Amino acid sequence: MHQVLDLIGIFVFALSGALVAVRKRLDVVGMTVLAEMTALGGGILRDLILNIRPAAFSSVGYVLVPIAATVIVFFWHPHVQRVMPAVNVLDAAGLGLFCAVGTEKAMNYGLSPLHGALLGVTTAVGGGILRDVLAGQIPNLLYDRQLYAVPATLGSVVMAVLYTLDLHGWPATLAAAVLAFGLRIAAMRLRLRAPLARGLTPE
C-alpha cells in the first residue's frame, strides 16, 4: 500500500513538472527531465543526505511512472490543464504523504526531530525546487504566496512530534499527511497567502 501511494504522488508531481515544460515550450526530452526531477528529486535529496541508496533506484516503477505522466501531457496537455483542479487535490495529497513519510524515514535513521522535519519538507518540496531551477524560474518555495511549503512544514513537525512520542506506523503517518493535505486544500479554497514584509503590497 505504501508503494502504491508513493507512486500516485510521484505521478501527480510528474504531471506538474511536464506541464511546466509545456508552458516553457520545451521538447519531449525537457518534459521528461522536468517530470522525473519534480517527481523524484525530493526523495533523492533526502536519501543522499541520509547516505543511503535513493528509493527511486530500487524499483523501475519509480522511473517509469514519470515517463507515463510525460506521455500523457505530451499528447493531451490541454485536457490535463482542464482537470487541474482535480490534479491539484492529488498534488496536495502527495505533498502531505511525502512530508510525513520523509520525516519518519529521516528519524528512523537517527536524525533529531528538528532535522527530521527539515528533511521531511525537503522530500515534499525538493522536486519542485529542482523543477523551477531547471525551468529557469524563481522556485515557488521562495515566495510561498500559495501556502505550499507551510502545510508541508506543519505536517513534518507533527510527524516529528508523534515519532518522538513513540507513535510510529501508518496511524501517525496518516495523521500528519492529512493535516498537511487539509491545510493545503484550505489554502487553495480560501486563497490564503503568506504575509509579505511590512510595508509591501501584493503586485
Side-chain angles (χ1 to χ4, degrees):
M1 176 60 72
H2 177 278
Q3 188 176 31
V4 171
L5 293 174
D6 222 16
L7 291 175
I8 291 173
I10 286 171
F11 178 76
V12 176
F13 282 0
L15 286 179
S16 72
L19 285 171
V20 168
V22 170
R23 289 196 289 271
K24 292 289 184 177
R25 302 184 64 82
L26 302 183
D27 62 19
V28 67
V29 175
M31 290 176 64
T32 304
V33 170
L34 286 193
E36 294 280 357
M37 287 297 99
T38 306
L40 305 176
I44 290 174
L45 287 173
R46 175 200 64 211
D47 292 344
L48 289 176
I49 291 172
L50 293 175
N51 198 29
I52 59 176
R53 185 176 69 176
F57 296 99
S58 65
S59 170
V60 295
Y62 284 93
V63 177
L64 294 181
V65 166
I67 293 176
T70 302
V71 171
I72 291 172
V73 174
F74 182 84
F75 287 104
W76 299 290
H77 59 88
H79 304 288
V80 177
Q81 288 282 12
R82 281 198 290 272
V83 297
M84 274 309 292
V87 174
N88 285 336
V89 171
L90 293 174
D91 181 83
L95 180 79
L97 176 68
F98 282 11
C99 74
V101 170
T103 302
E104 183 176 30
K105 185 170 185 177
M107 296 187 70
N108 280 338
Y109 278 84
L111 269 67
S112 70
L114 174 60
H115 293 106
L118 289 174
L119 209 48
V121 175
T122 299
T123 306
V125 305
I129 294 175
L130 292 174
R131 174 200 65 208
D132 293 340
V133 170
L134 289 172
Q137 59 190 32
I138 299 174
N140 287 335
L141 183 69
L142 300 183
Y143 54 100
D144 191 20
R145 296 287 290 147
Q146 295 185 346
L147 293 189
Y148 196 81
V150 171
T153 300
L154 293 177
S156 296
V157 168
V158 167
M159 184 68 242
V161 170
L162 292 175
Y163 193 99
T164 302
L165 296 175
D166 204 27
L167 296 173
H168 303 180
W170 271 109
T173 303
L174 183 62
V178 168
L179 173 64
F181 170 76
L183 290 173
R184 175 60 182 152
I185 293 297
M188 290 190 295
R189 295 288 173 84
L190 302 176
R191 297 187 177 182
L192 302 177
R193 297 291 184 266
L196 295 172
R198 183 179 179 182
L200 294 180
T201 56
E203 296 181 357

